[in-house]
Amino acid sequence: MTTPTLAGSALMDSSISPPKLRISGDWTLVHYHHLKAQLKQLTDRYDNRTPVDLTNLGALDTAGASLLVELFGCERVSQLAGTAPGLSSSSRALMQNIQVALSDFCEPLKEPEQAVGMQLLLRIGRAVDTVWQDTLQLLGFIGLILETIMLNLPRPKRWRVTSVISHIEQTGLDAAPIVALLTFLVGAVVAFLGATVLKTFGASIFTVDLLGFSFLREFGVLLTAILMAGRTASAYTAQIGSMKANEEIDAIRTLGLSPIELLVVPRILALLISLPILTFVAMVSGIIGGAVVCAVSLDISPALFLSLLQTDIGVQHFLVGILKAPVFAFLIASIGCLEGFKVSGSAESVGAHTTSSVVQSIFVVIVLDAVAALFCMEMGW
C-alpha cells in the first residue's frame, strides 16, 4: 500500500520569540503550485536572521530545492544545508547542488534592438569593408601572378605549354560555338531595332553604322567577357576549390612546388590567348547577324553592307574593342583563381565562392568597360 504524501508547507511560528519559520512536508513537483502560493504569503515576513526549522522536511526534489533557494537565497540555503539538524544526507546534497547551480546561473541580457536606419548603415559599412578587403586581396594576388610570370620568362624549361594548350581548348575552342551563336542573335536583334527606329527618320541605311560601332567597340568584347566570366571563372574556381578541399594544394606545397606557377599561370595565359580570339569571333558573328537582317528587312545587299562598313567604320574602333580583351581576360582569370584559393574545404564553400567569382568578374568587366568607354569618348578615339 502506497504511503500518502504530505503536502509541503512553510509556516511562520509566532508563538515563540523570536518567530521561527518551520519547513515541513514534501517539497516536490506535485506540490509546486501550492508551495509557490505559500511563498508569496510569506513575503516581507522574514529576513536572513529568522531561525529556520527543517526537522519535519519530508521528500525533496529539484523543484522543491529551487523553491527553498528562492525563499532563503543561495547563501542562506548553503548555510542551512551544512548546519541544519535532522536533515537527511540526500536532501542536504540536493540543496547544495541546486544552490551551486542557481548561484552560477546568469539570465542572459536581451540585446537592445537597433533602429532600422542604424542596421542599414551597419550593413552598408560591412559591405564596403568587404569590397575593400576583396580589392586588396585581388591586388596582392595579381602581384604574385606578375612576379611568377616575370621570374619564369627567362627560364623556358619551366613553361607549362601542355597545360596552357589544354586550357585554351577548354576555355576557347569549346566556347566558340556558344559565343558565335549568342553574338549572331544579338547582332540580328540590334539590326532589327535599329532598322525599326531609324526607318521613322528615313535613315535606315545607318543601321550598318550602328552595327559596326556597337560590335567593334562594345558588344563584341563585352558579351564575350561576360560569357567567359560565367563559364570560365566559375570553372577555375570550382577546379582549384575542389583541389583545396581535397588538400591537393597542400600536397603541392609539400613537394616544394608553387601553386601559382602550377595552377594559376597556365590558366591566366590560356584566357589571355582565348579571349581576344573569341572577341574577334563575336565581332564577326554579330556583324553577320546584322547583315542578314539588313538583307532581309532593308534590302541592303551584302556587297553594299560591306562597302558601307568599310567606308564609315575606321580601324580604330576595332582596336578599341580588341585591346580591352586581354585586360578583361587577365582580371576574369585572376578573380576565378583567387576565389578558388579562398575555399575553406566544404562543398558549400566551393559553391559560395564559385558564385562569388562569377558576380565579381561580371561586375569588374562592366565597370571597366564603362570607364574605358568614357575615357575613349573624352579622348576622341
Side-chain angles (χ1 to χ4, degrees):
M1 182 174 180
T2 306
T3 304
T5 61
L6 180 63
S9 63
L11 300 175
M12 184 67 71
D13 186 1
S14 302
S15 61
I16 59 176
S17 182
K20 179 180 290 188
L21 183 59
R22 298 186 183 278
I23 305 297
S24 61
D26 295 338
W27 283 60
T28 58
L29 183 60
V30 177
H31 310 296
Y32 184 86
H33 295 291
H34 170 69
L35 292 169
K36 190 76 173 178
Q38 287 192 9
L39 295 186
K40 290 182 180 179
Q41 296 176 1
L42 290 173
T43 304
D44 299 330
R45 294 181 58 187
Y46 66 94
D47 55 28
N48 291 333
R49 292 173 295 181
T50 301
V52 178
D53 182 11
L54 297 176
T55 306
N56 296 322
L57 177 64
L60 182 68
D61 62 7
T62 54
S66 65
L67 286 175
L68 290 177
V69 173
E70 182 180 344
L71 178 64
F72 299 117
C74 290
E75 184 177 352
R76 187 75 188 277
V77 166
S78 177
Q79 180 184 357
L80 291 172
T83 60
L87 192 64
S88 65
S89 58
S90 60
S91 297
R92 196 183 304 276
L94 182 59
M95 289 174 62
Q96 290 175 341
N97 290 334
I98 296 298
Q99 176 267 328
V100 171
L102 292 180
S103 62
D104 293 340
F105 173 74
C106 180
E107 185 175 354
L109 298 176
K110 184 179 180 181
E111 295 184 1
E113 294 185 359
Q114 294 179 330
V116 176
M118 184 60 67
Q119 292 181 10
L120 179 62
L121 290 176
L122 285 173
R123 294 190 65 176
I124 293 174
R126 292 192 187 100
V128 172
D129 181 67
T130 301
V131 171
W132 175 247
Q133 295 299 327
D134 289 343
T135 303
L136 292 180
Q137 289 181 349
L138 179 60
L139 291 176
F141 190 68
I142 289 174
L144 287 175
I145 294 171
L146 294 177
E147 178 189 15
T148 304
I149 292 175
M150 296 303 295
L151 289 175
N152 288 340
L153 274 179
R155 295 183 288 180
K157 290 184 179 180
R158 299 184 69 91
W159 297 355
R160 303 184 179 277
V161 180
T162 304
S163 179
V164 172
I165 293 175
S166 174
H167 288 301
I168 289 175
E169 179 184 3
Q170 296 173 8
T171 61
L173 187 60
D174 294 346
I178 186 64
V179 170
L181 177 61
L182 176 67
T183 51
F184 178 87
L185 296 176
V186 172
V189 171
V190 170
F192 178 76
L193 293 176
T196 303
V197 175
L198 296 174
K199 189 175 182 179
T200 307
F201 304 98
S204 300
I205 195 70
F206 291 106
T207 304
V208 178
D209 295 348
L210 174 63
L211 281 166
F213 278 108
S214 61
F215 272 90
L216 291 179
R217 295 182 68 95
E218 299 296 335
F219 284 168
V221 63
L222 188 60
L223 291 174
T224 306
I226 291 174
L227 278 173
M228 290 298 101
R231 185 181 184 276
T232 305
S234 60
Y236 286 177
T237 303
Q239 292 166 2
I240 296 178
S242 298
M243 296 179 68
K244 180 76 177 295
N246 294 331
E247 299 182 356
E248 294 177 36
I249 293 179
D250 294 335
I252 290 173
R253 291 194 176 99
T254 303
L255 293 173
L257 301 175
S258 170
I260 303 295
E261 178 185 345
L262 193 66
L263 303 176
V264 177
V265 173
R267 287 174 167 83
I268 296 284
L269 296 179
L271 199 57
L272 281 173
I273 296 171
S274 300
L275 191 57
I277 298 174
L278 290 174
T279 299
F280 179 76
V281 171
M283 292 176 179
V284 174
S285 299
I287 291 174
I288 291 175
V292 171
V293 173
C294 289
V296 174
S297 301
L298 301 178
D299 294 328
I300 299 176
S301 64
L304 179 58
F305 185 92
L306 291 175
S307 177
L308 292 172
L309 196 66
Q310 183 179 5
T311 303
D312 298 340
I313 309 299
V315 70
Q316 71 271 16
H317 303 298
F318 169 76
L319 295 177
V320 167
I322 203 70
L323 289 177
K324 290 189 286 187
V327 179
F328 292 165
F330 185 83
L331 290 174
I332 290 170
S334 299
I335 292 172
C337 294
L338 175 60
E339 290 298 314
F341 281 107
K342 290 182 181 179
V343 171
S344 60
S346 63
E348 182 181 0
S349 179
V350 173
H353 285 287
T354 300
T355 303
S356 177
S357 70
V358 174
V359 173
Q360 290 185 42
S361 300
I362 294 176
F363 176 78
V364 168
V365 163
I366 294 176
V367 169
L368 287 182
D369 187 74
V371 172
L374 293 174
F375 176 78
C376 292
M377 181 179 65
E378 293 297 327
M379 296 298 293
W381 294 349

